[in-house]
Amino acid sequence: ETGVTQTPRHLVMGMTNKKSLKCEQHLGHNAMYWYKQSAKKPLELMFVYNFKEQTENNSVPSRFSPECPNSSHLFLHLHTLQPEDSALYLCASSQDRVTDTQYFGPGTRLTVL
Amino acid sequence: GESVGLHLPTLSVQEGDNSIINCAYSNSASDYFIWYKQESGKGPQFIIDIRSNMDKRQGQRVTVLLNKTVKHLSLQIAATQPGDSAVYFCAETGNNDMRFGAGTRLTVKP
């Protein structure tokens, strides 16, 4: 266990559904991240939160909407997704900065039909 | 070996042999490097790290080597076990961001 949990572990949704992914870290970290992992590709950074404030949005489509209510919790709200959004979505946290060692959750395997 | 951002090579070794996984990076300003292990169905797991002021760092059965001259990083796993089967990828940090390689798939044959 890395101290970062994610729910649900698997999610299947239609293109018109609205769903949310949840991440929680128990490491006392101040920075949290959402990544997209597609087959045979490097991790794609989506969003960065530092002390609950969004510090980076890597040109992610608006159908992905993050929320960080406190330093321990991070959500990714999904709506009107496309089949190409199917991937493993990983949450990570680090002490303070993006260049600190990041610890990952187990991911949510998302399938968009 | 892998280059940050490119293909997913594979490495197959016999149980008990040593494994060497390579990573080439492009940013000469990178100053911190990490190796992660990702087993099927799981998130990436931190294995070992190294800072740019070091050439070598050892952990339990793993060693990371850094050659800044040719911008090359390697992970050596001693006495590879079936439980070592996974995708291994490197990460480099510098210029206030972290970049990940696509990974190398290690398969250990019993």
Side-chain angles (χ1 to χ4, degrees):
Chain A
E1 291 294 328
T2 63
V4 182
T5 59
Q6 289 186 244
T7 55
R9 294 295 308 277
H10 301 272
L11 179 62
V12 179
M13 58 188 290
M15 296 197 301
T16 58
N17 292 158
K18 289 184 180 181
K19 296 287 184 184
S20 295
L21 310 184
K22 178 182 176 182
C23 175
E24 183 174 0
Q25 58 97 358
H26 310 274
L27 301 171
H29 289 167
N30 297 310
M32 296 187 76
Y33 314 86
W34 280 117
Y35 287 91
K36 176 183 179 183
Q37 187 177 41
S38 303
K40 299 184 180 181
K41 289 185 179 180
L43 292 174
E44 298 174 50
L45 179 64
M46 301 174 70
F47 301 105
V48 179
Y49 276 82
N50 199 285
F51 291 93
K52 304 186 298 179
E53 299 296 321
Q54 187 179 134
T55 59
E56 192 162 341
N57 174 341
N58 272 3
S59 303
V60 180
S62 60
R63 56 186 184 268
F64 295 92
S65 174
E67 178 190 359
C68 188
N70 55 60
S71 293
S72 299
H73 294 85
L74 186 64
F75 295 89
L76 187 62
H77 303 299
L78 316 171
H79 63 98
T80 59
L81 294 192
Q82 304 298 311
E84 59 265 28
D85 297 322
S86 297
L88 182 68
Y89 288 84
L90 290 162
C91 173
S93 71
S94 70
Q95 188 58 56
D96 291 307
R97 304 168 300 168
V98 69
T99 51
D100 293 331
T101 306
Q102 296 181 27
Y103 295 89
F104 290 84
T108 295
R109 173 65 64 185
L110 173 68
T111 302
V112 182
L113 301 176
Chain B
E2 71 171 282
S3 294
V4 176
L6 298 181
H7 59 286
L8 185 62
T10 59
L11 174 65
S12 182
V13 301
Q14 205 70 39
E15 181 179 358
D17 288 352
N18 296 334
S19 303
I20 300 176
I21 299 169
N22 299 302
C23 179
Y25 63 95
S26 57
N27 187 352
S28 56
S30 293
D31 57 6
Y32 179 50
F33 305 85
I34 305 168
W35 278 101
Y36 286 95
K37 171 187 180 183
Q38 187 172 19
E39 297 176 84
S40 181
K42 297 185 178 180
Q45 176 187 359
F46 171 89
I47 301 175
I48 193 169
D49 59 359
I50 190 169
R51 299 210 172 267
S52 58
N53 61 349
M54 301 174 68
D55 297 323
K56 178 179 179 179
R57 190 160 188 229
Q58 289 184 291
Q60 188 176 19
R61 281 202 307 119
V62 295
T63 300
V64 55
L65 298 176
L66 176 63
N67 186 330
K68 295 180 288 294
T69 302
V70 295
K71 297 199 283 286
H72 184 268
L73 188 70
S74 68
L75 176 70
Q76 301 179 358
I77 304 174
T80 313
Q81 303 169 359
D84 295 327
S85 293
V87 173
Y88 292 81
F89 58 90
C90 62
E92 58 169 315
T93 71
N95 297 333
N96 202 34
D97 71 353
M98 181 175 289
R99 293 167 296 282
F100 297 88
T104 295
R105 181 174 300 282
L106 174 65
T107 301
V108 182
K109 296 177 288 187

